[in-house]
């Protein structure tokens, strides 16, 4: 099962990808938020399962120093609309630690296997 991970910058895509790879999953973080091609995530990766990670601007600023305004996040979210609509699992990562995000997603994936 190929897992595609999408979401805005600093939502935790790469960290989740690395954690899922360590658990033996075929996972890839998709940098869809930089593309105007709405279905790029489908065309390039062809995932069986799509995980959408989200984060608010205050959380993004806490994770990495950025000079973005809300309009920049809004544009990323607009670019990600298609992927979010097709996501099998959505998680706002704001209140969760790295380990909690991993656990929420791995619990979801375990249910998909059964």
């Amino acid at each position: 099962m190929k897992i595609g991970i999408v979401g805005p910058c600093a939502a935790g895509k790469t960290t989740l990808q690395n954690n899922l790879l360590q658990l033996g999953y075929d996972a890839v973080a998709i940098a869809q938020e930089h593309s105007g091609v709405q279905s790029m995530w489908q065309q390039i990766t062809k995932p069986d399962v799509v995980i959408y990670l989200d984060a608010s601007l205050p959380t993004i600023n806490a994770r990495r120093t950025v000079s973005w305004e809300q309009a920049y996040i809004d544009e990323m979210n607009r670019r990600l609309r298609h992927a979010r609509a097709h996501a099998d699992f959505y998680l706002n990562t704001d209140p969760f630690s790295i380990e909690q995000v991993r656990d929420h997603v791995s619990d979801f994936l375990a249910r998909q296997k059964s």
Side-chain angles (χ1 to χ4, degrees), residues 6-13 52-64 66 68-70 72-74 76-77 80 84 90-96 101:
V6 294
C9 293
K13 296 183 303 291
Y52 191 102
L53 299 184
D54 208 351
S56 66
L57 184 55
T59 296
I60 290 168
N61 272 315
R63 291 177 181 167
R64 78 167 69 146
V66 298
W68 307 335
E69 295 187 15
Q70 187 59 46
Y72 186 74
I73 301 296
D74 294 343
M76 276 195 278
N77 287 325
L80 291 164
R84 183 172 176 176
Y90 171 88
L91 184 65
N92 183 322
T93 62
D94 285 358
F96 300 117
V101 170

Side-chain angles (χ1 to χ4, degrees), residues 21-43:
L21 290 171
Q22 289 177 353
L23 294 174
Y25 287 102
D26 180 11
V28 62
I30 305 166
Q32 173 71 40
E33 70 274 19
H34 302 293
S35 174
V37 179
Q38 290 282 308
S39 61
M40 184 185 89
W41 63 273
Q42 286 174 314
Q43 296 171 21

